[in-house]
Amino acid sequence: MYLPINRAEFIAGNIAKAGDTKNEFVIQLLDRNGARVDLTGATVTWTAASRLGRLIAPRAATILTDGQVSVKFQDADPIGVGEIFIELTVTRGDGLVEKFPAEDNLIMRVTKSQDDVTYTPVNFATIDYLLNLINTIVQRETDSNAESAQARVRANGTTYPTLKGRLDNDDTQFNAHTAALFSSGVHGMGRIASQDYEEGVWTPVIQGLTTAGSNTYSTQDGRYAKVGGRLYFDAFVSLSLKDVNMAGEVAISGLPFVVRNTIGYRPNGVVPIFSSLTLDATRPYLGFLALPNESRVRLRKSGDNVSNVGLVATQINNTTFFQISGSYLI
């Protein structure tokens, strides 16, 4: 299991409009335990890059309070549109340097401004409008004047014996095209979304794997979204009273779908926020592991140069809480 040494998070959004030089983007710096970084006596710089290379050379960030900094773009910045990757460098008073975030980069998305959108006039007319317009020109189906004769010929050269025959054909094609759009959604996405996307709530339960126990809770909040064959889940679960009979390694159960039953598949992740645990001095970090064909995640302790082991019920207290997010194949 890999654990980041530090993290950085956008506080109030990470989407900017191209050309915006007024708004500042606030970033929270966190240490490995999720605590806010003390920036007393430090300087902070930031750089930005795209997938093609660096866009902004190191530039000073504004240090705020409680481990927060802010950055903003300037008129001369060659940002363009798309994903922008942000990295921050904290230099301490003793000269030591720390890069944020430890895992990959902060990602900002710059969207296109309408200043860059070319004006394109669009003509639109309904079938009823076209019928009424033609009827004002051609009064009778048997009219043989020049305009009526021209109206019986399509742009591809197909000629109809009567104007009514052409209009009936156009109406049939239009109705067939409309029916196809509604059956599959715009550009075909409606049908895919209705079949492959689902979201809802679930009830997270803290249990022992030897004796499950019957704990009392102050909060049991679980949310999920199923996209195709992958489930994304969030959980916030907090005890108000622990069942003394709970025993064995600890798991959070109640997930709405079981993990895909594939040999060797063991999805895992970090438990970034927790409280009221009695952890080992050598294993201060907490993560989770899921096994095939189960609808729960097993909580695991880890540390430097030691094996990871399961969190056990004796390390749970009356006010323990966990907040986790993750995903797995179903």
Side-chain angles (χ1 to χ4, degrees):
M1 179 184 299
Y2 297 97
L3 298 173
I5 201 70
N6 62 47
R7 292 186 291 125
E9 301 173 349
F10 282 104
I11 295 299
N14 62 340
I15 300 177
K17 182 79 75 171
D20 186 340
T21 58
K22 176 184 181 299
N23 289 302
E24 295 185 334
F25 301 92
V26 180
I27 300 170
Q28 177 71 66
L29 303 183
L30 303 169
D31 64 17
R32 70 173 67 193
N33 298 316
R36 297 173 178 178
V37 173
D38 184 2
L39 297 176
T40 303
T43 60
V44 181
T45 59
W46 66 287
T47 59
S50 70
R51 298 186 187 279
L52 300 179
R54 174 172 286 184
L55 300 174
I56 298 176
R59 176 185 299 169
T62 301
I63 298 177
L64 305 176
T65 59
D66 295 327
Q68 295 181 3
V69 299
S70 68
V71 301
K72 65 184 299 186
F73 295 122
Q74 298 176 1
D75 288 333
D77 291 338
I79 297 303
V81 296
E83 288 187 338
I84 304 297
F85 305 104
I86 305 294
E87 182 180 84
L88 298 104
T89 301
V90 176
T91 304
R92 307 289 181 180
D94 56 7
L96 296 179
V97 174
E98 186 174 9
K99 302 283 188 176
F100 287 80
E103 184 176 16
D104 297 325
N105 296 277
L106 281 171
I107 299 178
M108 174 182 290
R109 184 164 65 89
V110 179
T111 60
K112 181 182 292 187
S113 167
Q114 290 196 11
D115 295 340
D116 302 322
V117 177
T118 302
Y119 170 73
T120 302
V122 177
N123 295 322
F124 177 81
T126 65
I127 290 295
D128 287 340
Y129 171 79
L130 292 175
L131 289 174
N132 290 332
L133 179 62
I134 293 173
N135 283 335
T136 63
I137 300 173
V138 183
Q139 299 299 321
R140 301 187 307 275
E141 181 180 312
T142 58
D143 194 343
S144 60
N145 63 34
E147 288 180 318
S148 177
Q150 290 174 354
R152 294 199 301 269
V153 182
R154 297 181 65 88
N156 63 5
T158 302
T159 301
Y160 295 84
T162 65
L163 182 57
K164 183 178 185 303
R166 180 198 169 160
L167 295 178
D168 287 346
N169 180 268
D170 289 348
D171 188 55
T172 299
Q173 292 189 33
F174 178 80
N175 289 336
H177 179 67
T178 302
L181 285 178
F182 278 102
S183 68
S184 61
V186 177
H187 303 299
M189 288 304 296
R191 182 170 56 194
I192 294 174
S194 65
Q195 291 178 350
D196 294 338
Y197 182 82
E198 173 188 331
E199 63 179 46
V201 298
W202 62 287
T203 303
V205 176
I206 299 174
Q207 64 174 197
L209 296 183
T210 302
T211 301
S214 181
N215 298 304
T216 304
Y217 298 87
S218 59
T219 303
Q220 289 176 282
D221 185 14
R223 310 297 171 103
Y224 76 89
K226 182 175 76 70
V227 182
R230 179 170 288 273
L231 182 82
Y232 298 86
F233 68 90
D234 301 294
F236 177 63
V237 56
S238 177
L239 294 180
S240 59
L241 183 64
K242 169 192 171 183
D243 184 352
V244 296
N245 295 315
M246 182 173 63
E249 294 186 0
V250 177
I252 298 177
S253 65
L255 286 163
F257 296 90
V258 298
V259 177
R260 180 174 294 183
N261 192 15
T262 300
I263 296 175
Y265 181 54
R266 298 160 66 91
N268 58 83
V270 177
V271 180
I273 302 176
F274 56 86
S275 182
S276 297
L277 295 179
T278 306
L279 293 177
D280 312 339
T282 58
R283 294 182 176 89
Y285 309 123
L286 197 63
F288 67 83
L289 174 71
L291 298 181
N293 213 32
E294 292 188 351
S295 57
R296 63 192 177 193
V297 292
R298 301 165 180 245
L299 301 181
R300 309 287 294 179
K301 302 174 296 182
S302 62
D304 294 334
N305 300 316
V306 293
S307 60
N308 71 83
V309 296
L311 181 74
V312 294
T314 54
Q315 295 176 295
I316 298 289
N317 298 301
N318 284 330
T319 57
T320 292
F321 77 80
F322 303 101
Q323 188 168 346
I324 66 172
S325 296
S327 71
Y328 57 86
L329 297 176
I330 59 176

